[in-house]
């Protein structure tokens, strides 16, 4: 637990200095590539891990298989690992924290999509659950870094476009008050939107690169953390597919 506590504290520190860039991994080999390149932490991508295991995204894979794969990532590197734990797999906070620590993870993404009912989870109830995760991590004496994902910008959220930004701000504030360390408004594509989110949300904000948003732009806007989700996994599969198809030409 002492080693896990040290890694968790290191991961938290990384959210307060130079922008933390996380090229997401999906297995031990990809995690080793990220760590060997000099990145100070490794993040997993649930979409990529589910695809690798043969399941759909959105908690379509059994949590046991997802955590087993994430555990292999954590064992492959000596840097802190944060796990994309989707919406928490209906686990109670203490169970989720225990499972994360069992596999050697010291951070987690927790999203506010409701994969069973569709749309978004009730924000107040989700904030209460996040507060439980924060409390359980405290009881375990490992300050797990919680990256609370806000899904209002996803089409599946059902939120009308004009309401996505204010609702993301409302939810992000609730989640920070509940104990989240970083807020992740996924799928924001506009420079103006991410700038307002950084200005309006207390604490670190996780962004994504895109047409308007390269790393330099995100850094200039004050984004604390950048992640890539399954982007590199899908790029690798696309390259493999093209190479295999050439063999049939």
């Amino acid at each position: 637990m002492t080693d896990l506590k040290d890694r968790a504290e290191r991961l938290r520190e990384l959210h307060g200095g130079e922008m933390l860039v996380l090229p997401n991994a999906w297995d031990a080999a990809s995690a080793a590539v990220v760590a060997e390149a000099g990145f100070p932490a490794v993040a997993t991508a649930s979409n990529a891990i589910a695809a690798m295991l043969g399941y759909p995204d959105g908690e379509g894979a059994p949590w046991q298989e997802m955590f087993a794969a994430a555990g292999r990532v954590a064992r492959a590197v000596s840097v802190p690992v944060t796990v994309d734990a989707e919406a928490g797999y209906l686990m109670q906070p203490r169970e989720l924290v225990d499972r994360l620590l069992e596999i050697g993870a010291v951070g987690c993404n927790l999203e506010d999509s409701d994969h069973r009912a569709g749309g978004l989870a009730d924000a107040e109830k989700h904030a209460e659950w996040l507060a439980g995760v924060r409390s359980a991590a405290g009881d375990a004496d490992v300050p797990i870094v919680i990256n609370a994902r806000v899904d209002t910008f996803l089409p599946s959220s059902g939120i009308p476009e004009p309401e996505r930004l204010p609702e993301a701000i409302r939810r992000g504030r609730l989640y920070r008050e509940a104990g989240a360390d970083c807020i992740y408004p996924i799928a924001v594509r506009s420079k103006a939107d991410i700038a307002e989110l950084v200005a309006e949300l207390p604490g670190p904000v996780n962004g994504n690169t895109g047409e308007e948003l390269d790393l330099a732009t995100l850094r200039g806007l004050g984004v604390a953390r950048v992640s890539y989700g399954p982007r590199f996994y899908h790029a690798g599969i696309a390259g493999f597919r093209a190479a295999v198809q050439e063999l049939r030409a």
Side-chain angles (χ1 to χ4, degrees):
M1 281 299 181
T2 300
D3 182 53
L4 289 175
K5 184 176 182 179
D6 290 344
R7 292 190 188 198
E9 290 173 346
R10 174 57 180 152
L11 183 59
R12 176 168 281 102
E13 289 170 0
L14 289 169
H15 286 72
E18 178 68 15
M19 186 172 71
L20 176 60
V21 178
L22 296 168
N24 298 70
W26 56 90
D27 61 8
S30 58
V33 168
V34 173
E36 288 166 4
F39 289 91
V42 171
T44 69
S46 63
N47 179 295
I49 291 177
M52 176 190 71
L53 294 172
Y55 295 98
D57 190 27
E59 299 196 347
W63 71 261
Q64 295 91 337
E65 293 193 45
M66 297 293 285
F67 272 65
R72 290 190 285 275
V73 167
R75 290 193 298 273
V77 297
S78 59
V79 298
V81 170
T82 178
V83 168
D84 184 349
E86 303 190 80
Y89 306 103
L90 298 180
M91 291 184 188
Q92 293 300 309
R94 185 54 189 264
E95 181 185 5
L96 176 64
V97 168
D98 287 347
R99 298 296 184 187
L100 289 168
L101 296 178
E102 282 173 4
I103 63 171
V106 294
C108 56
N109 269 26
L110 296 170
E111 61 204 42
D112 62 358
S113 284
D114 186 332
H115 296 295
R116 288 153 188 84
L120 298 181
D122 179 86
E124 285 73 17
K125 290 181 180 178
H126 187 66
E128 184 179 349
W129 182 76
L130 289 174
V133 176
R134 176 83 284 144
S135 178
D139 290 343
D141 198 30
V142 179
I144 287 174
V145 176
I146 301 172
N147 191 36
R149 205 180 87 177
V150 178
D151 290 358
T152 61
F153 285 86
L154 294 176
S156 60
S157 72
I159 304 292
E161 190 168 346
E163 299 174 20
R164 290 175 181 175
L165 179 60
E167 181 63 8
I169 293 170
R170 185 182 80 86
R171 286 172 175 262
R173 288 173 175 169
L174 280 173
Y175 303 161
R176 274 290 288 173
E177 290 170 5
D181 299 283
C182 185
I183 303 300
Y184 179 16
I186 192 172
V188 176
R189 299 289 179 255
S190 160
K191 182 177 178 180
D193 285 347
I194 196 69
E196 187 163 354
L197 286 159
V198 170
E200 295 293 333
L201 291 174
V205 170
N206 189 142
N208 301 122
T209 57
E211 289 185 10
E212 289 188 31
L213 301 170
D214 58 17
L215 286 177
T217 299
L218 291 169
R219 186 178 291 110
L221 292 171
V223 168
R225 166 173 166 162
V226 177
S227 51
Y228 291 82
R231 191 178 309 182
F232 296 115
Y233 168 80
H234 290 303
I237 290 295
F240 180 55
R241 181 179 294 110
V244 169
Q245 288 173 345
E246 282 188 14
L247 299 177
R248 298 286 295 173

